[in-house]
Amino acid sequence: MPLIPEEPQIHESAQGPRVTPAAGRTAQTPHPVPGPRSAATPRPGRPGPGPARPTPPAQRSHGSAAQTPPTPPPASSGPQIQLIPAPAEGALDAAGEAVDLLLDSGRAPGDILVLTTGEPHPWAAHELSFGEDAYWAQHDARDDVFYAGAAAVDRASARPVVVVAVNDAAADDAGRALPLALARAEALLIVCGDPQRINAALGAGV
């Protein structure tokens, strides 16, 4: 009887999808603890409430109240004025929304000066706790959004965009601050507050 050749043994290779080890969950970056630091330390563009440094505004959603900042007109025509109606207690939030939109549209943080006519912005209050010299050194560096009280507008230098939050209850501060803020704005002045007060302070409808 003829011999039947043995069938070659088939070596099966392991089949199936390869399992890639799951990437570890990235730990959240801890919030910075307030303390002395050098003026060269980079700071984000927009502050949040409390002692934390300003956080970039691109991650937040925008309400319908704030309008997209218009394209600045030629320098020869003077700064353009944009009004965002808001009550005194909501003017600071409206100003923050305007800063968000400016940064999202590509405006450099160092181009923006934010003034408050009433209670100071939380970032300004926090930075002033380190002393006025360190606080104003950041203004002079012009590498980030700078927040100041309207009473200090005389000390602030001109910037392409000035945002004013009319967040005080009295009309006197706004009446003094808005004309000076207009003089500091090289391309665009955004004012957040009561339209009647703003018009009266600027002496023209906006």
Side-chain angles (χ1 to χ4, degrees), residues 106-120:
R107 176 67 69 175
D111 286 353
I112 305 170
L113 170 67
V114 180
L115 301 172
T116 56
T117 63
E119 183 178 349

Side-chain angles (χ1 to χ4, degrees), residues 74-185:
S76 58
S77 64
Q80 183 171 352
I81 300 173
Q82 179 182 348
L83 170 62
I84 299 178
E89 61 272 16
L92 200 58
D93 288 339
E97 192 80 7
V99 171
D100 282 357
L101 291 170
L102 287 164
L103 295 173
D104 289 347
S105 68
R107 176 67 69 175
D111 286 353
I112 305 170
L113 170 67
V114 180
L115 301 172
T116 56
T117 63
E119 183 178 349
H121 192 281
W123 182 90
H126 173 62
E127 293 299 322
L128 279 168
S129 69
F130 297 109
E132 287 207 6
D133 290 343
Y135 171 74
W136 286 103
Q138 296 181 63
H139 166 271
D140 297 338
R142 297 177 66 92
D143 59 0
D144 206 348
V145 180
F146 190 78
Y147 296 79
V153 66
D154 290 329
R155 188 168 178 178
S157 60
R159 293 201 180 191
V161 181
V162 176
V163 181
V164 181
V166 183
N167 62 332
D168 64 306
D172 293 344
D173 289 341
R176 174 182 176 273
L178 289 179
L180 293 174
L182 180 62
R184 296 295 186 278

